[in-house]
Amino acid sequence: MSPGGAGPTEDDRKETGGVRTALSGLTTRGRSFLAAGIAAAICAFVLGQSDLLRVGLLLAALPLICAAVVYRTRYRVAASRRLAPARAPAGSEARVHLRMDNVSRLPTGLLMLQDRVPYVLGPRPRFVLDRVEPGGHREVSYRVRSDLRGRYPLGPLQLRLTDPFGMCELTRSFSTYDTLTVIPRVEPLTPVRFGGEAQGYGDGRQRSLALAGEDDVIPRGYRYGDDLRRVHWRSTARYGELMVRREEQPRRSRCTVLLDTRGGAHEGAGPDSAFEWAVSGAASVLVHMLERGFSVRLLTDSGSAVPGEGGDGFAGTGQETADAAGLMMDTLAVIDYSDGTGLSRAYDVLRGGNEGLLVAFLGDLDEEQATTVAKMSRRSGGAVAFVLDPDTWVREATDVARPGDQHPQRLRLLREAGWTALSVPRGASLDELWRQADRERSGLASLSGEARG
């Protein structure tokens, strides 16, 4: 059989020893028949029994004939695989749809279909396909599920040919495969204002020059196609040429999500570890802010961002928003611990300008790193930090308390620097912490307004 529609197969490139390949496909039944036939032929030769010799030759010839027929069988089939969805959140199921098309003029025999999948996605699926008529097709599907995020290859697809007597089985493999991306869990978040520090929630938006919006006081020269109703007659009389009022449009508000990936800052491993909670939290905030129209950016402790991300982060509407979210989810699906020990590189990136709202997911901080994080809030329109409490995560995971925990002091240092810093215990809900951060920032804004009054 030569699978068509998916390029050359692995076995077709290796078919050099035809006899050896055919004999290697003999099943236990086929090998038993062959051994029984050879034994009967030897006994018939020793005993001089011609009838027993005929029986022995028949027993030995049957598996050899079946192996030759299966080996010489040539089917032209095409295979396709479809994932629904191609990006599946951790802990949820995805369905894989397989389709086999017979593109030859001859019907196929019995086909056994098998797809290769990593062990973390579940058992290897196997199907038995009945005779496929010329030009016909068969469709099967199976489900996969993983609690661990990552990118997992599916395939290549394998077809096993067998004869009606079950004497011989040969495997043919397609060369193509697909990839299932298991993304972090995304928790829906309540829309909040964070006390108004995140520019873009209405009246507080910054503005930039463009071709639509409210009037600006500075006119410009008339251009072909400008609406004559926007002619600024006072400036026209002053400059002696036709002048029109400039226009402006709101600039997208910015949000930077900082994810601490230092290996020494997180304890434990697995889907319920502190690091996985931080990755899931960063994914939830990124998707939430992008859906609200923000220009979002993902930043790690090493100073790196999402490949293909612009200087102001990802922004867009409709399909562009979905594409940007998908690209960030692909990055978070494979993100792992970094070799860094500090947050200075992230600080160097953040101190370059006003980053708008800054949301940080931080692991265990020592005094030096807490001081570095405290300085990050100076160039932001608002800073919210979710600091994982190492004491609760380690104690519940190992039943061992950390001596001399400095977690409360680190939170106090961040709050004094202007951060809305919240401690994250094991099993905490991000949405509840999200609303708590909004309440705390609203309270701080009220107290600040009363002090100024």
Side-chain angles (χ1 to χ4, degrees):
M1 184 198 70
S2 177
T9 62
E10 297 176 1
D11 292 275
D12 288 337
R13 291 192 295 264
K14 300 178 181 179
E15 286 178 345
T16 56
V19 176
R20 180 179 301 176
T21 302
L23 293 179
S24 64
L26 289 176
T27 62
T28 302
R29 181 184 299 177
R31 297 176 186 274
S32 300
F33 268 68
L34 181 60
I38 294 175
I42 295 176
C43 293
F45 180 77
V46 173
L47 300 176
Q49 297 290 331
S50 58
D51 294 336
L52 182 59
L53 179 61
R54 297 188 184 95
V55 174
L57 294 177
L58 177 61
L59 292 176
L62 182 59
L64 297 178
I65 295 175
C66 292
V69 171
V70 173
Y71 176 75
R72 298 299 300 175
T73 300
R74 289 293 183 267
Y75 297 142
R76 296 185 62 229
V77 295
S80 62
R81 183 188 294 105
R82 180 172 57 87
L83 307 180
R87 296 185 182 96
S92 63
E93 292 184 345
R95 184 167 289 274
V96 183
H97 300 270
L98 302 175
R99 177 185 172 113
M100 298 295 301
D101 292 270
N102 183 10
V103 297
S104 65
R105 298 181 179 179
L106 299 175
T108 67
L110 188 66
L111 301 177
M112 286 182 289
L113 189 65
Q114 177 177 277
D115 205 8
R116 294 182 180 178
V117 299
Y119 71 94
V120 296
L121 297 182
R124 181 169 295 183
R126 295 180 175 88
F127 306 93
V128 177
L129 302 182
D130 295 332
R131 175 180 177 273
V132 183
E133 64 278 2
H137 69 275
R138 297 289 185 271
E139 294 184 3
V140 294
S141 64
Y142 63 93
R143 295 177 296 179
V144 292
R145 181 181 182 276
S146 175
D147 292 328
L148 299 176
R149 55 184 176 81
R151 295 173 62 88
Y152 301 100
L154 299 178
L157 192 64
Q158 293 180 332
L159 289 179
R160 300 175 63 188
L161 299 176
T162 184
D163 62 280
F165 303 101
M167 298 290 181
C168 181
E169 291 182 357
L170 292 180
T171 302
R172 295 290 185 266
S173 298
F174 291 90
S175 58
T176 58
Y177 64 92
D178 293 280
T179 302
L180 174 67
T181 303
V182 180
I183 62 176
R185 296 182 179 92
V186 176
E187 183 177 349
L189 300 180
T190 303
V192 297
R193 294 177 58 90
F194 284 126
E197 85 289 351
Q199 302 170 9
Y201 289 95
D203 299 335
R205 292 191 178 183
Q206 300 178 3
R207 298 185 177 274
S208 61
L209 298 177
L211 298 177
E214 300 177 359
D215 296 339
D216 187 25
V217 296
I218 303 177
R220 61 170 175 81
Y222 175 82
R223 299 172 185 171
Y224 178 79
D226 285 339
D227 191 349
L228 293 178
R229 291 176 296 181
R230 305 199 65 82
V231 174
H232 195 269
W233 296 110
R234 183 179 301 176
S235 299
T236 300
R238 178 181 179 182
Y239 293 102
E241 61 176 325
L242 202 59
M243 305 291 291
V244 297
R245 295 186 296 269
R246 285 187 179 182
E247 300 169 338
E248 62 179 3
Q249 68 179 7
R251 180 189 303 171
R252 280 185 177 274
S253 301
R254 303 177 64 182
C255 175
T256 299
V257 177
L258 173 62
L259 177 61
D260 185 3
T261 62
R262 295 173 298 137
H266 302 277
E267 299 287 349
D272 296 327
S273 64
F275 182 67
E276 292 302 321
W277 191 97
V279 173
S280 177
S284 303
V285 173
L286 287 170
V287 172
H288 174 75
M289 303 307 288
L290 189 61
E291 290 176 347
R292 299 201 64 194
F294 276 69
S295 177
V296 299
R297 179 172 66 165
L298 173 63
L299 185 66
T300 64
D301 56 284
S302 60
S304 60
V306 179
E309 185 179 69
D312 292 336
F314 286 106
T317 57
Q319 185 60 38
E320 294 181 358
T321 299
D323 295 340
L327 186 56
M328 289 188 294
M329 292 300 103
D330 289 344
T331 301
L332 290 175
V334 296
I335 200 168
D336 203 352
Y337 295 115
S338 66
D339 297 331
T341 58
L343 298 166
S344 58
R345 293 183 181 179
Y347 171 69
D348 293 337
V349 176
L350 292 173
R351 68 179 180 179
N354 189 347
E355 299 297 329
L357 177 63
L358 174 60
V359 181
F361 291 87
L362 305 172
D364 190 15
L365 300 173
D366 57 20
E367 183 176 359
E368 179 182 357
Q369 304 310 325
T371 303
T372 302
V373 174
K375 295 186 293 184
M376 295 180 182
S377 62
R378 300 174 183 174
R379 304 295 297 178
S380 64
V384 180
F386 299 98
V387 186
L388 300 175
D389 186 356
D391 187 28
T392 60
W393 289 87
V394 173
R395 178 182 297 176
E396 296 188 20
T398 62
D399 294 331
V400 177
R402 289 161 45 97
D405 184 26
Q406 301 296 323
H407 182 66
Q409 289 79 358
R410 306 293 183 252
L411 292 178
R412 187 179 305 111
L413 176 61
L414 297 182
R415 290 165 182 163
E416 292 175 353
W419 283 84
T420 301
L422 299 180
S423 177
V424 180
R426 186 179 182 89
S429 170
L430 177 61
D431 184 54
E432 294 179 0
L433 295 175
W434 185 253
R435 288 178 290 174
Q436 180 182 349
D438 176 55
R439 291 192 297 268
E440 292 191 9
R441 287 209 63 85
S442 300
L444 290 175
S446 300
L447 293 175
S448 177
E450 293 176 0
R452 287 195 300 268

